Amino acid sequence: MTPEELIQIAEERRGQQAAVGKRINVCAAASCMSRHSDKIAEEMSSHAESLGDKAEGVEVRCVGCMGLCSAGPLVEVDHPADEAAGNDAPKTMYRGVSMDDADRIVEAAAGGTTVEQLVQPTDIPYFSRQKRIVTENSGYIDPESIEDYIAADGYSGLVTALTEMSPNDVLHEVTISGLRGRGGGGFPTGLKWSTVAKTDADKKYVVCNADEGDPGAFMDRAVLESDPHRIIEGMTIAGYAVGASKAYIYVRAEYPLAIARLKKAIRQAQKYELLGTNLCDTPFNFEIELRLGAGAFVCGEETALIASIEGRRGVPRPRPPFPASYGLYGKPTLINNVETLATIPWIVRNGGDALASIGTAKSKGTKVFALAGKIVNNGLIEVPMGISLREIVYDIGDGIPDGGTFKAVQTGGPSGGCVPGNLLDMPVDYESLQEAGTIMGSGGMIIMDEASNMVDVARFFMEFCKDESCGKCTPCRVGTAQMLDLLEKLCAKSATEKDLELLKELCDVVKACSLCGLGQTAPNPVLSTLRYFEDEYMGSLVGGVSGDGRPVPDVETKAGAPDRIER
Amino acid sequence: MIATITKPEAPSDDKRWKIVQATMRRNGYSRNALIETLHTVQNSFGYLDEPALRYVAASLRVPLSNVYGVATFYHLFTLKPQGEHTCVLCTGTACYIKGTPELLQHVEERYGIRDGETTEDGKVSLLTARCIGACSMAPAVVFDGEMEGEVTQEQLDEQVEAWMAS
Ligand SMILES: Cc1cc2nc3c(=O)[nH]c(=O)nc-3n(C[C@H](O)[C@H](O)[C@H](O)COP(=O)(O)O)c2cc1C
Ligand code: FES
């Protein structure tokens, strides 16, 4: 692939697109697909065909996630020909589209009208407050078409890097962009890349961490399903910058659609010689292989992930040595999260400065969050760093449904914590969240209302950590089980003050003594709920009442809760 | 001296072993391909039984203890046959907040099966997963590989009863 060839493919595809009068874009990411959006798209196609001349110039295609998953299946009608000609061409988004609506949407599009009852307004804060970099193509391109991706400037970053930049130039751009790892740790990406680049070795690896273990997070899944080529491009640029020629994507087996699309994307990229040997007529070779997880949260931890790729039990090992110097098969290995890698093509195309101009002093760029739980607009959002939690919950998320009151937002999953209502004006960046006792995490945000009992929330996460502890180190294996016992006692209102003291002590011990991040952060949900909702803990003691006399919400379903089930 | 390595024989002449062999061959019979191979066995046969574990161990020249260790470490692998149909309830955070505990309790009370168990007639297995990435449609359930969102007790009963009647 030469730069000229890439431009030619892009122009050809743009030309084809500009010839389409009316285009019906149907979301075909997992959420909408589980509501049969793929069948709806098929019905639309065949109906358009059956209309013959009357539906001239109507094209139906599948695109990636449009974000507002709770309103799915989503469909958007646009007019590429008018847009290309510079005419006013408003788009129409439809929500909650069912099979019965398929035909009339096609007819409306063909006739230039709209189906009013189904219209989803797009001038709401949910759409206007977002800043889309990682998800810039999501919902706009067909994820299974490499030409669509190329037409949206895809692979131009890679081709530019290979033909016009040295590996050091790429490292420089990534470093000045201020990008930090989106997998949870927030480690400066430029620094990590430079470390791998500097290490001498006959072989190096790049690994994309697509294990997305945080229960309640689906950002990586959406990116993989909606724009898989972006990951391939990001990884290949990374390989060029650090001097690696082989890469693995470690993806959860729970994401079959993402896996299928990645496989297809890899084949397409190989065909276009964007993967393989002597890319862009340079000596640079690069190949990518998929590796499937098998349902173990701890495999998201980088050393456990390496063990798993090597076909072993996913058990972490002490660091140092860090994977950057001693990783996969003992070779220097760059491990980055999906979203981190998905930001790279944009950085190369627009320059590191452009990313650095977004966000706060220490947290640059944008972050994708998955909003779920008790919130009106469930779905995927991408916002500039530094935005306040209040804006996310009340403007973008549109508040709490069914007249409920906000109680807390949980970030960072089992390694994170809960932020209460009085801190909602806090900016969302790595440092502020940490100060508030939680972490940025990978981007799951679960919103809870008054119905949630915070001791039970802590119990839920502790149970998760106990189940997922790999068992290698004692503080984590035994500590999580002990803490879970105490939390269950609290939930059953049979704990004493002494139990609470013991719980606090155990938090410190497990945090300080565990081998890997799983154990070191397992106490966080307890610590943060203790910090902000101590009255609920007090109210859960034998004969206890909460500080302000407010009743503590009951833990509703004990018998059926997963922990009651003996394996 | 020329050492000849003879490949172990498949546990039976079931054609599905050919698929398993293809996976191992594609990976050069490397021990690194252990998890890939176990995935293939489970996808082909539904579960991992002892002859399968022994065969994979011998083929990849990995100690049986390691194969067993890996097969029991990862939640997705199962050593027991599943029912004809599977129903996977998500117990991730979003689904937990939005009602999976009630669904689980309901299934337990009504059908007498708990996580990892199969109804007596061997028709339906109940499993749980920690987030299947459908959090915006919580509570989510996977019925025989098909994901459904915002599942109610009634919907669950409808599907399970249809299976049990089949
Ligand atoms: C228990 C545990 C689970 C983790 N799970 C994930 C995960 O699912 N996805 C991910 O990208 N990083 C996960 N991480 C972080 C990784 O270890 C690693 O820091 C990250 O992939 C590095 O990529 P980044 O620098 O691009 O963030 C996890 C860490 C721990 C301790
Ligand atoms: S928490 Fe159930 S799908 Fe994510």
Side-chain angles (χ1 to χ4, degrees), chain A residues 250-321:
Chain A
Y250 186 85
V251 50
R252 307 180 71 191
E254 287 89 340
Y255 290 173
L257 185 63
I259 294 166
R261 292 205 171 139
L262 277 172
K263 281 188 179 158
K264 190 162 185 179
I266 291 174
R267 277 200 305 275
Q268 289 172 338
Q270 285 166 339
K271 204 169 131 230
Y272 273 129
E273 293 179 3
L274 290 159
L275 282 176
T277 50
N278 299 113
L279 302 180
C280 297
D281 299 324
T282 66
F284 178 61
N285 308 327
F286 202 68
E287 60 172 316
I288 299 181
E289 244 185 82
L290 281 192
R291 279 284 181 273
L292 303 196
F297 171 67
V298 71
C299 287
E301 197 280 337
E302 50 192 26
T303 59
L305 188 148
I306 287 172
S308 187
I309 294 183
E310 291 172 354
R312 297 184 282 123
R313 286 162 71 99
V315 176
R317 61 159 177 79
R319 299 175 305 174

Side-chain angles (χ1 to χ4, degrees), chain A residues 330-514:
Chain A
K331 302 291 179 192
T333 304
L334 174 71
I335 301 189
N336 272 137
N337 165 259
V338 169
E339 199 184 322
T340 314
L341 289 165
T343 316
I344 299 299
W346 192 92
I347 292 178
V348 174
R349 254 187 288 129
N350 298 281
D353 293 334
L355 193 85
S357 70
I358 306 166
T360 64
K362 285 190 176 160
S363 304
K364 301 297 186 192
T366 58
K367 178 79 194 80
V368 184
F369 289 104
L371 290 187
K374 301 284 178 66
I375 188 149
V376 175
N377 291 335
N378 272 259
L380 206 70
I381 59 165
E382 182 171 359
V383 289
M385 293 276 191
I387 190 172
S388 75
L389 270 173
R390 184 179 301 283
E391 280 173 279
I392 293 184
V393 174
Y394 284 100
D395 295 343
I396 297 179
D398 202 15
I400 317 298
D402 310 325
T405 24
F406 174 90
K407 183 163 190 182
V409 45
Q410 210 281 343
T411 72
S415 313
C418 295
V419 181
N422 60 350
L423 291 182
L424 271 180
D425 289 309
M426 182 181 83
V428 174
D429 61 44
Y430 291 97
E431 280 73 27
S432 307
L433 284 165
Q434 200 148 20
E435 241 168 70
T438 179
I439 58 166
M440 174 80 75
S442 56
M445 276 197 184
I446 310 278
I447 288 83
M448 294 178 232
D449 66 5
E450 286 297 333
S452 291
N453 172 310
M454 301 316 272
V455 183
D456 186 52
V457 169
R459 188 204 59 77
F460 168 81
F461 282 114
M462 191 55 69
E463 186 206 356
F464 180 88
C465 290
K466 187 212 93 187
D467 280 354
E468 297 297 333
S469 170
C470 76
K472 178 168 173 171
C473 76
T474 318
C476 174
R477 182 185 65 239
V478 180
T480 51
Q482 293 300 325
M483 288 193 284
L484 178 61
D485 269 355
L486 291 169
L487 286 163
E488 284 181 344
K489 252 176 122 175
L490 279 161
C491 286
K493 298 211 166 152
S494 64
T496 60
E497 232 159 280
K498 221 170 135 214
D499 290 324
L500 195 54
E501 283 309 308
L502 187 58
L503 178 65
K504 289 179 187 167
E505 202 182 315
L506 272 171
C507 283
D508 288 340
V509 173
V510 173
K511 210 174 162 84
C513 306
S514 293

Side-chain angles (χ1 to χ4, degrees), chain A residues 29 64-65 134-136 138 143 212 218-231 258 261-262 338-343 368 380 382:
Chain A
C65 180
V134 170
T135 57
E136 61 181 346
S138 192
E212 194 157 61
F218 52 94
M219 307 76 46
D220 293 351
R221 195 207 69 190
V223 174
L224 296 166
E225 285 174 359
S226 305
D227 202 3
H229 283 286
R230 196 175 194 83
I231 309 300
R261 292 205 171 139
L262 277 172
V338 169
E339 199 184 322
T340 314
L341 289 165
T343 316
V368 184
L380 206 70
E382 182 171 359

Side-chain angles (χ1 to χ4, degrees), chain A residues 113-292:
Chain A
T113 58
T114 51
V115 183
E116 293 299 336
Q117 312 92 289
L118 298 176
V119 170
Q120 163 65 44
T122 52
D123 54 357
I124 55 172
Y126 176 83
F127 293 100
S128 60
R129 288 289 178 87
Q130 294 197 43
K131 166 96 191 139
R132 294 174 59 163
I133 289 179
V134 170
T135 57
E136 61 181 346
N137 290 334
S138 192
Y140 298 114
I141 68 167
D142 176 354
E144 302 199 1
S145 159
I146 188 171
E147 291 84 5
D148 264 24
Y149 180 65
I150 293 174
D153 286 333
Y155 287 113
S156 68
L158 171 63
V159 171
T160 311
L162 290 180
T163 55
E164 292 169 26
M165 296 166 83
S166 71
N168 269 331
D169 294 340
V170 179
L171 289 177
H172 177 71
E173 291 303 326
V174 174
T175 306
I176 62 165
S177 77
L179 179 64
R180 296 170 64 173
R182 303 292 193 234
F187 191 79
T189 307
L191 190 57
K192 194 188 264 187
W193 286 30
S194 305
T195 313
V196 181
K198 266 189 241 140
T199 314
D200 255 335
D202 54 338
K203 188 134 187 114
K204 296 180 192 176
Y205 295 98
V206 172
V207 173
C208 170
N209 188 343
D211 196 44
E212 194 157 61
D214 171 3
F218 52 94
M219 307 76 46
D220 293 351
R221 195 207 69 190
V223 174
L224 296 166
E225 285 174 359
S226 305
D227 202 3
H229 283 286
R230 196 175 194 83
I231 309 300
I232 297 177
E233 183 178 1
M235 290 177 82
T236 315
I237 295 172
Y240 176 69
V242 305
S245 56
K246 168 103 200 188
Y248 292 92
I249 305 177
Y250 186 85
V251 50
R252 307 180 71 191
E254 287 89 340
Y255 290 173
L257 185 63
I259 294 166
R261 292 205 171 139
L262 277 172
K263 281 188 179 158
K264 190 162 185 179
I266 291 174
R267 277 200 305 275
Q268 289 172 338
Q270 285 166 339
K271 204 169 131 230
Y272 273 129
E273 293 179 3
L274 290 159
L275 282 176
T277 50
N278 299 113
L279 302 180
C280 297
D281 299 324
T282 66
F284 178 61
N285 308 327
F286 202 68
E287 60 172 316
I288 299 181
E289 244 185 82
L290 281 192
R291 279 284 181 273
L292 303 196

Side-chain angles (χ1 to χ4, degrees), chain A residues 215-216, chain B residues 90 92-95 131-135 140:
Chain B
C90 173
T93 320
C95 294
C131 189
I132 47 176
C135 324

Side-chain angles (χ1 to χ4, degrees), chain A residues 34 215 221 293 295 312 456 459, chain B residues 39 69 74-75 93 96 133 136-137:
Chain A
S34 74
R221 195 207 69 190
R312 297 184 282 123
D456 186 52
R459 188 204 59 77
Chain B
H39 267 303
Y74 294 97
H75 303 302
T93 320
Y96 184 77
S136 54
M137 307 191 309

